[in-house]
Amino acid sequence: ALFFFSQWPYFVSGFTGELPQGFSFAEYAREGFFQLCIVSVFNAVLLIVLQTFMRRTPGERGLLRRTYAGIISLFTLILIATALSKMILYIDAYGMTRSRVLATWMILLLAVAFILSLIHVFCRKFPLAIGIFITCALFLLVLFLPNIDGMIADYNVDAYLSGDLSSVDIEALCDLDYAAVPALSRLEEHLLARGKLDEKSALLLEQTSAQLDRLAEQSANSADGIFDFNLPLSRAKRMLAER
């Protein structure tokens, strides 16, 4: 409690949408994420130690152990909420990247794990290990089955077109390779349809077209095997060929 209240403005800035003095969006989000990772590991080990080594007497209901474990889990969840708010603030300012999405995924996974731990504190019959295993399996499916890279590109372009972002980081979209093709094509069409462009928009169009040209040339010179096939890649190559 002393730790949180002594740094209250730093922790709640993410909820108010304002940066603490002396921080950039990137520094604020990264610091929050790595602080969370360190504290989560420490608190998880502490919970395991409490559960394993705290002395029990016959008929003892474990009130003291449950109280300690509940407080640790609750304060970890508060720290998770602050880390998530910092990451959302960062994404709102500069858009999504693969690393920002992975960090958010990890924060949410930790949140669910400590919620399950809190449930286990008050319901001893709840199978915590099985619950965390199922949670991890579902989170992995959410991460790998959808076209996450395509969603990242769509989010950034949609945010730019709606005015929520002042520009699109084309270099970051380059890391997404073919997954970014539908979003980049949409951005190129939108910029071409504007007609006369200011200097900033003209540079964005030039970067977008150059990236699409690079991918089109790469697609024309590559021969994919049967095991390389997937629907997003097939759609991207079709769009490049039509372009």
Side-chain angles (χ1 to χ4, degrees), residues 14 17 19 24-30 33 83-108 148 151-160 162-169:
L19 282 175
S24 68
F25 286 104
E27 290 169 341
Y28 192 45
R30 289 192 197 112
F33 175 73
L84 183 60
S85 70
K86 295 172 187 178
M87 191 58 65
I88 291 172
L89 191 65
Y90 188 22
I91 291 172
D92 286 343
Y94 295 111
M96 286 186 178
T97 63
R98 193 179 288 156
S99 60
R100 291 168 205 165
V101 169
L102 288 173
T104 305
W105 176 87
M106 187 67 187
I107 292 170
L108 293 174
I148 296 293
M151 293 178 182
I152 292 170
D154 284 333
Y155 173 88
N156 290 339
V157 170
D158 288 340
Y160 171 73
S162 65
D164 293 330
L165 286 178
S166 59
S167 187
V168 180
D169 189 346

Side-chain angles (χ1 to χ4, degrees), residues 36-54 65 68-69 72-73 76 110 113-114 117 128 132:
L36 172 63
C37 289
I38 293 168
V39 172
S40 295
V41 170
F42 179 83
N43 286 357
V45 171
L46 190 55
L47 286 171
I48 293 169
V49 169
L50 281 173
Q51 174 65 26
T52 306
F53 296 107
M54 198 165 182
R65 185 177 67 256
Y68 275 132
I72 291 169
S73 298
T76 308
L110 287 172
F114 276 94
S117 175
L128 179 60
I132 290 178

Side-chain angles (χ1 to χ4, degrees), residues 199-233:
E199 185 178 347
K200 188 175 180 181
S201 298
L203 178 61
L204 182 60
L205 175 59
E206 182 183 343
Q207 292 174 333
T208 302
S209 298
Q211 170 66 358
L212 286 169
D213 289 340
R214 182 187 70 81
L215 289 170
E217 183 179 354
Q218 181 178 306
S219 173
N221 296 331
S222 65
D224 296 327
I226 188 171
F227 295 108
D228 297 318
F229 175 82
N230 60 66
L231 290 176
L233 177 62

